[in-house]
Amino acid sequence: MFALIGIFFGIRSIKIRKEAYKKLEEAHSELLQSSVTSMKYAALEERTRLSREIHDGIGHQLTSLIVQLQALELMLPNDPKEASKLVSQLLQISRNAMAEVRIAVKEWSDDEMGLGLIALKGLISQTQARSSIQFSFCEDSEISEWSMETSTVLYRILQESLTNILRHSNANSAQIHMSEINDNIILLISDDGKYIGDTPLKPGFGISGIVNRCESLGGTCSITPNSPHGLKVQVIIPCNSTNYKE
């Protein structure tokens, strides 16, 4: 009798564990999908911003070029010397327009990587729009294409870091640096907030989440005082990480 009872509870326990594991997988899938949706929205906003910059920047340069070319056409028969001086100005306008084209092409090329870098830039733009803190983003090296798992982790880490800056830093500015060195992705987020390192940091839910997500891909995370004041978060993740677990 006791053996049968033991078997019954053993089977029931296995069934409960399987159901719990299934629910955990479903919850993880929903959370991952939510992150991907947020990344898509951020990427869409960044594409819209790029389109606006192309229209406003290059469009303005080309309009100016057309107007001055029309003036040059009128000047050529009557005042060739002045027309010659105008040519150098037109060349400079053309060079400026070409420079903006190159920047736009690079941005769109980064977009081909999917939801990696473009989503991070979009997230920064979104944060900037609702804050007086000045955020700047810099790529310190060539950036490769990331897996969806790596992109998701970096997006969530940056999201949490920016949220912490908004809520707790009392900063005027923050810098986000992205680079890849020796097959590692390095994300550095620093601010000029009120923290001066005089008291130990108390890891809350947000900081713990950053560390856990980083470690989920075999990476490391360091959180240190910034000089002369503020906080610095450095995340290092292997480029080819695929063992992500939320």
Side-chain angles (χ1 to χ4, degrees), residues 14 38 52 97 111 130 165 207 218 225 245:
I14 292 172
S38 297
R52 186 168 56 248
D111 186 34
R130 65 176 191 267
I165 291 173
I207 290 179
K245 293 181 181 179

Side-chain angles (χ1 to χ4, degrees), residues 195-209:
Y195 184 68
I196 57 174
D198 54 339
T199 57
L201 288 170
K202 296 179 180 179
F205 184 77
I207 290 179
S208 298

Side-chain angles (χ1 to χ4, degrees), residues 8 29 41 44 52 65 70 72 77 89 95 102-103 120-121 125 131 133 139 145 157 161 164 191 223 237-238 241:
F8 170 77
S29 178
Y41 179 71
L44 178 60
R52 186 168 56 248
L65 188 61
Q70 290 171 338
L72 178 63
Q89 296 178 24
R95 292 189 182 103
R102 290 195 180 102
I103 292 172
L120 299 188
K121 291 178 179 179
S125 295
S131 169
I133 300 173
E139 296 171 51
E145 185 173 354
I157 287 174
S161 297
N164 285 340
D191 66 71
I223 302 174
I237 295 174
S241 296

Side-chain angles (χ1 to χ4, degrees), residues 21-233:
Y21 183 73
K22 183 179 179 182
K23 289 181 180 178
L24 187 62
E25 279 190 325
E26 290 174 352
H28 171 259
S29 178
E30 289 176 2
L31 188 57
L32 190 60
Q33 186 59 44
S34 175
S35 295
V36 172
T37 300
S38 297
M39 290 166 67
K40 287 180 178 178
Y41 179 71
L44 178 60
E45 282 202 332
E46 185 66 7
R47 293 187 189 107
T48 302
R49 183 188 67 80
L50 288 174
S51 298
R52 186 168 56 248
E53 286 191 357
I54 290 171
H55 177 270
D56 294 345
I58 300 174
H60 173 75
Q61 299 282 358
L62 291 176
T63 299
S64 177
L65 188 61
I66 290 169
V67 169
Q68 295 200 52
L69 280 171
Q70 290 171 338
L72 178 63
E73 186 178 27
L74 296 174
M75 291 171 63
L76 275 172
N78 303 317
D79 197 348
K81 288 185 178 180
E82 283 299 316
S84 178
K85 292 178 183 178
L86 188 58
V87 168
S88 62
Q89 296 178 24
L90 297 178
L91 284 171
Q92 187 57 49
I93 293 172
S94 301
R95 292 189 182 103
N96 292 341
M98 181 55 70
E100 292 197 30
V101 168
R102 290 195 180 102
I103 292 172
V105 168
K106 184 181 183 303
E107 295 282 357
W108 287 114
S109 176
D110 290 339
D111 186 34
E112 292 301 317
M113 296 191 305
L115 297 177
L117 199 58
I118 194 83
L120 299 188
K121 291 178 179 179
L123 177 60
I124 294 168
S125 295
Q126 287 177 348
T127 306
Q128 177 70 80
R130 65 176 191 267
S131 169
S132 60
I133 300 173
Q134 294 301 308
F135 292 91
S136 64
F137 179 84
C138 182
E139 296 171 51
D140 297 327
S141 72
E142 292 293 322
I143 303 298
S144 65
E145 185 173 354
W146 305 329
S147 67
M148 179 55 72
E149 292 83 0
T150 299
S151 295
T152 303
V153 166
L154 288 170
Y155 184 89
R156 296 294 293 277
I157 287 174
L158 179 60
Q159 188 177 46
E160 190 60 52
S161 297
L162 296 182
T163 299
N164 285 340
I165 291 173
L166 292 177
R167 288 179 178 173
H168 309 299
S169 72
N170 196 27
N172 293 314
S173 64
Q175 296 77 41
I176 298 92
H177 288 260
M178 177 70 68
S179 60
E180 289 188 12
I181 301 174
N182 298 327
D183 294 326
N184 285 318
I185 302 167
I186 302 174
L187 174 61
L188 179 63
I189 304 148
S190 57
D191 66 71
D192 63 354
K194 61 185 178 181
Y195 184 68
I196 57 174
D198 54 339
T199 57
L201 288 170
K202 296 179 180 179
F205 184 77
I207 290 179
S208 298
I210 291 173
V211 173
N212 291 337
R213 288 189 179 94
C214 184
E215 292 177 347
S216 73
L217 289 183
T220 60
C221 176
S222 64
I223 302 174
T224 57
N226 195 19
S227 179
H229 51 81
L231 206 60
K232 200 160 47 171
V233 177

